[in-house]
Amino acid sequence: MTDSDKKSQGRRTIADAFMKDAQREATPWRSRADFAFEAVYLYALAALGDLADGYEHPDARVLTAAAEELELTADQIGPALEYLEHRYDPAKPDNGSAYRVLISIAKILGAEG
C-alpha cells in the first residue's frame, strides 16, 4: 500500500466516524449536518488521493474535483457546496433537510471510494 493509499484510507476511516456521529439521533440537527458535511469532505479528499494535498480546509474545490473524479453531476454535489457556503450563517438553522441531503451525498462518496 502506497503512502497515498494509506492517507486516503485514513481519511475514509475518519469519514466513517463522522458518519456514525451524524446519525446519532440525540445530536442537534445543525451538529448532525456538520458531521455529515465533514464526512462528505473527507470522502472527497480520499477520492482525490495524491491530488488532495495542498488544499486548505474547507475548500469548495475539493468537492468539485472529487465530483469530477467520480463522475458525479453538479446536482449530486451541489448541495454540499451550498452547505459549505452557508455553513456558519447563524440565520440559517438546520431543520434536518441539509442533514438528509448531506448524508445521501456522503453515502455516494463513501461507496465510490
Side-chain angles (χ1 to χ4, degrees), residues 3 5 11 14 16-18 23 32 34 37 40 58 67 69 73-74 80 82 84 89 97-99 102 107 112:
D3 285 343
D5 291 340
R11 287 175 173 141
I14 296 168
D16 292 344
F18 273 119
Q23 296 176 64
R32 291 176 77 181
D34 282 343
F37 175 80
V40 166
E69 180 75 21
T73 66
E82 183 179 342
L84 176 58
D89 184 352
S97 60
Y99 160 77
L102 290 167
K107 287 180 179 178
E112 294 291 332

Side-chain angles (χ1 to χ4, degrees), residues 17-29:
F18 273 119
M19 283 290 284
K20 286 180 185 175
D21 288 341
Q23 296 176 64
R24 294 186 200 283
E25 292 183 15
T27 303
W29 285 119

Side-chain angles (χ1 to χ4, degrees), residues 24-53:
R24 294 186 200 283
E25 292 183 15
T27 303
W29 285 119
R30 183 177 285 277
S31 295
R32 291 176 77 181
D34 282 343
F35 291 143
F37 175 80
E38 291 299 332
V40 166
Y41 196 83
L42 285 161
Y43 285 136
L45 286 170
L48 292 177
D50 284 340
L51 301 175
D53 294 337

Side-chain angles (χ1 to χ4, degrees), residues 44-113:
L45 286 170
L48 292 177
D50 284 340
L51 301 175
D53 294 337
Y55 288 105
E56 295 289 326
H57 179 75
D59 189 328
R61 295 175 301 169
V62 167
L63 300 172
T64 56
E68 286 179 23
E69 180 75 21
L70 298 171
E71 298 179 358
L72 301 179
T73 66
D75 287 342
Q76 288 174 295
I77 202 67
L81 292 164
E82 183 179 342
Y83 187 81
L84 176 58
E85 184 178 335
H86 300 287
R87 184 175 186 183
Y88 300 109
D89 184 352
K92 276 194 105 164
D94 192 334
N95 62 1
S97 60
Y99 160 77
R100 285 186 280 284
V101 172
L102 290 167
I103 281 291
S104 67
I105 295 168
K107 287 180 179 178
I108 291 169
L109 290 173
E112 294 291 332

